[in-house]
Amino acid sequence: MFDIDLWREIFQSINKNKIRSVLSGLTVVFAIFLFTILFGLAKGLENTFTDAFKDDAMNNIVIWPGTTSKAHKGLQAGRRIQLKNADHNYIKDEFGNKVEFITSRVMKGVSATFRNEKGNYTVRAAHPDNLYIEKSTVIEGRYLNQNDIINKTKVIVIGRLVEEDLFLKTKAVGKYLNLSGIQYKVIGVFSDDGGDDEERMIYMPISTAQLLYGNNEFVDMMYMTYDPKMNYDQAISFGRTLTKKLKNRFNIANNDQRAIRVSNNAENAKNANAMSFGLGLMALVIGFGTLIAGIVGISNIMIFIVKERTKEIGIRKALGAKPSSIVSIILLESILITVIAGFIGLVMGMGILSYVGPSLDVYFIKNPSVSTNLVVGATLTIIIAGGIAGYLPAKKASRIKPIVALRDD
């Protein structure tokens, strides 16, 4: 039951000892404030890494052909490497289940026209797996499928912004779009988290592009994802094996770095994960170290407070106060100060993160923030610690005999 006299007495005690109460609270304010800032910055760094990979699948490998820089097996340097459909099939056959998705690409710039609207866009001619590698979302119609590849159909899937640019008063799906003089049927519209450039892309079957823009089997690059069940080391080893076999296939020297480039995101992901883990661990150690310092601080202050009030406690006992009422007063005062101070530290920390957060992008810290659960957990921890810090000396003081307390200097 709420005891108004008890709380009036607690507030009178706090009001009578303002400096002592403020000093007690400052320890907690600083601990929660620093804890919030540290975990907010760590979360901001984690957001930066997550954002860097949100556009495409994280387990991707990209293969670009180049020009040989070293002579090898009687072949001169300066030889241009050209990927073909056969190389796409070779990778699928050679590495089997280690490849999750794979697409070859042919890139082409086009002028797109629908009725009176015109615009210049990039066409990516690709395989159906491209949808999963790009992590795009079909919002209308459908994406490219294997029948489109086999039949070399003149169909396209356009980005959301292409539809907004050209199809002002109608839906794009089912309409025909003129790309540099050739009519293509729009079969779908997609969205993509990669930004405006990604949503202004146009996709068509790679077999159609090869037929219409060169009548050949050449591809500009390959994009694939490795089996996500692989750990980082297995994925990195797979990338190295892939590179070695492609170099053998094209008679490229092992130390030739320019003839064919294989970019394996597993290496970047492993480094990013290690850095993120290290930062998180550092924030955890420092953050909890700060909390412990706060707990020790308020414990010392509560011991001092009880010592300071020994005579007062003796008088209360001499007047018939029960030990439980003495413990309650000191304990509730300790918890009240800790709660208010913890809330102030939390508001200050979150306010600082909110104020300076947008300016930290240049330091690769994006949207620094802390989860409510984390901060509430930290605050509860320090409140419980504050309660224990107040309870132990209060319990000891409640057992002291009045005559002994009144003699205390």
Side-chain angles (χ1 to χ4, degrees), residues 344-358:
I344 293 172
L346 172 62
V347 171
M348 286 175 58
M350 295 183 76
I352 292 290
L353 288 176
S354 176
Y355 181 73
V356 303

Side-chain angles (χ1 to χ4, degrees), residues 134-200:
E134 279 291 331
K135 296 173 70 175
S136 301
T137 302
V138 176
I139 55 178
E140 295 176 60
R142 68 171 177 86
Y143 202 70
L144 308 173
N145 60 33
Q146 196 57 34
N147 284 334
D148 296 325
I149 300 294
I150 294 171
N151 298 320
K152 301 180 176 62
T153 53
K154 290 199 292 183
V155 296
I156 53 175
V157 182
I158 64 175
R160 180 182 61 84
L161 294 181
V162 178
E163 183 182 45
E164 285 187 14
D165 291 345
L166 303 179
F167 297 86
L168 303 182
K169 297 180 179 178
T170 185
K171 292 290 185 182
V173 175
K175 306 296 189 305
Y176 283 84
L177 185 62
N178 188 309
L179 300 183
S180 299
I182 300 176
Q183 295 283 344
Y184 293 88
K185 185 178 182 179
V186 179
I187 58 171
V189 179
F190 68 90
S191 64
D192 194 291
D193 290 335
D196 289 1
D197 288 343
E198 288 295 326
E199 293 194 319
R200 283 198 164 86

